[in-house]
């Protein structure tokens, strides 16, 4: 995980139910952190995981050429996919 450390100058307010607050307090206590540190660390991890595949895409030169070639290929018919997408799903 890559995190840039800056001085803390911004505030984030969070509202939670009593059971959620108690859960977070207990988890923070077990992690030897205060609730703010616990939430901030967990939030940074979650943000990095969420953004990981959206922020950087690296390939070697050979793989980049192969990737471009695959994108340039004409679209082929996929009857099973067409059938799957034309039928109603489990949720309607």
């Amino acid at each position: 995980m890559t995190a840039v450390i800056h001085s803390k100058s911004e505030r984030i307010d969070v509202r939670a139910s009593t059971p959620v607050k108690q859960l977070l307090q207990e988890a923070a206590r077990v992690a030897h952190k205060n609730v703010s540190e616990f939430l901030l660390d967990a939030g940074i991890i979650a943000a990095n995981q969420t953004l990981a595949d959206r922020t950087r895409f690296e390939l070697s030169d050979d793989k980049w050429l192969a990737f471009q070639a695959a994108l340039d290929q004409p679209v082929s018919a996929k009857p099973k996919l067409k059938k799957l997408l034309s039928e109603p799903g489990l949720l309607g």
Side-chain angles (χ1 to χ4, degrees):
M1 175 185 79
T2 303
V4 178
I5 299 174
H6 297 285
S7 64
K8 297 175 187 176
S9 62
E10 298 294 324
R11 183 173 183 84
I12 299 172
D13 295 315
V14 178
R15 294 207 179 274
S17 65
T18 299
V20 169
K21 181 180 178 183
Q22 291 171 344
L23 176 67
L24 293 170
Q25 287 172 325
E26 178 64 13
R29 185 187 65 75
V30 169
H32 306 288
K33 298 178 181 181
N34 63 43
V35 174
S36 292
E37 292 168 333
F38 182 83
L39 286 173
L40 190 57
D41 289 348
I44 289 169
I45 291 168
N48 281 323
Q49 289 173 343
T50 300
L51 297 173
D53 292 335
R54 294 175 175 88
T55 57
R56 189 137 189 145
F57 190 75
E58 291 186 33
L59 295 173
S60 66
D61 290 342
D62 291 344
K63 289 186 179 183
W64 177 251
L65 292 173
F67 177 68
Q68 286 181 313
L71 291 176
D72 290 338
Q73 292 294 316
V75 177
S76 59
K78 297 186 174 34
K80 290 181 183 179
L81 180 60
K82 184 176 181 178
K83 181 180 182 233
L84 175 68
L85 295 176
S86 65
E87 295 175 350
L90 292 175
L91 301 176

